[in-house]
Amino acid sequence: MNTLLSRRASVRPAALAALFAALLAALLALGAPAQAHDTLLESDPADGATLETSPEAITLTFSADVLEVSPLVRITDVSGEQLAEITPSIDGPVATATLEEPLPAGTSTVQWRVVSSDGHPIEGTFGVTVEQDAAAEETTEAPAEESAPAEESAPAETAAPAEEGEQATAEAAEEESGSSMTPLLIVLGVAVVGAVVAVLLIMRRRD
């Protein structure tokens, strides 16, 4: 009787120790996958960022290399309408979603989903606000481009009067030079005539 009781007493601590070890292992097993999940460290644009114009791409950086298994980035507006659905490229811990069309003005919600390095899918959302619509930006830039030829043509219009003025000055100079030569020619002509007359008189006197 005493031997049986002593055996039962020795078995109970061993069973309790085994049960405790099993429970501890189960808790560690449950906690390990949760700790192994990758997390989003940063995004570009950042959550809540306000941008003047639409970004060309959305970049997500995680705490470890993510798997190239069905990554997805979906963008919606405030009404829930889908603006874009992109399969981002994966480069180690970085997922890059290139926008084919710029985001419209307003607040957009970016939803992302990737597969963590431990094989578990992770996902999240963040918001981005764009102040200026791309179409409006192109409209405001168009008049500036059209005004350029008008500025280039201005010197051509002012060049014509300048050329005419130079031509008129040249003609006036020719006229002045011509009018100044006329008295000189008259004086020379009188001198020549006088010399001829003098020679004729001298010849007649000798005869």
Side-chain angles (χ1 to χ4, degrees), residues 172-193:
E174 291 178 359
E175 291 178 358
E176 290 179 0
S177 62
S179 60
S180 62
M181 289 292 293
T182 301
L184 181 60
L185 292 175
I186 293 173
V187 172
L188 289 176
V190 171
V192 170
V193 171

Side-chain angles (χ1 to χ4, degrees), residues 69-86:
V69 180
S70 304
L72 180 65
V73 171
R74 182 182 292 113
I75 305 174
T76 57
D77 60 15
V78 291
S79 65
E81 181 180 354
Q82 180 174 302
L83 301 175
E85 185 171 286
I86 309 167

Side-chain angles (χ1 to χ4, degrees), residues 31-39 64-67 114-122:
Q35 294 175 354
H37 288 349
D38 301 334
T39 58
D65 294 354
V66 293
L67 303 181
V114 297
V115 176
S116 174
S117 58
D118 65 351
H120 289 77
I122 56 176

Side-chain angles (χ1 to χ4, degrees), residues 115-166:
V115 176
S116 174
S117 58
D118 65 351
H120 289 77
I122 56 176
E123 58 185 13
T125 61
F126 62 90
V128 176
T129 300
V130 176
E131 292 183 339
Q132 188 172 359
D133 191 86
E137 184 182 2
E138 293 176 358
T139 303
T140 55
E141 291 177 354
E145 296 176 355
E146 293 176 357
S147 62
E151 294 176 358
E152 295 176 356
S153 62
E157 295 176 357
T158 57
E163 294 177 357
E164 293 177 359
E166 292 176 358

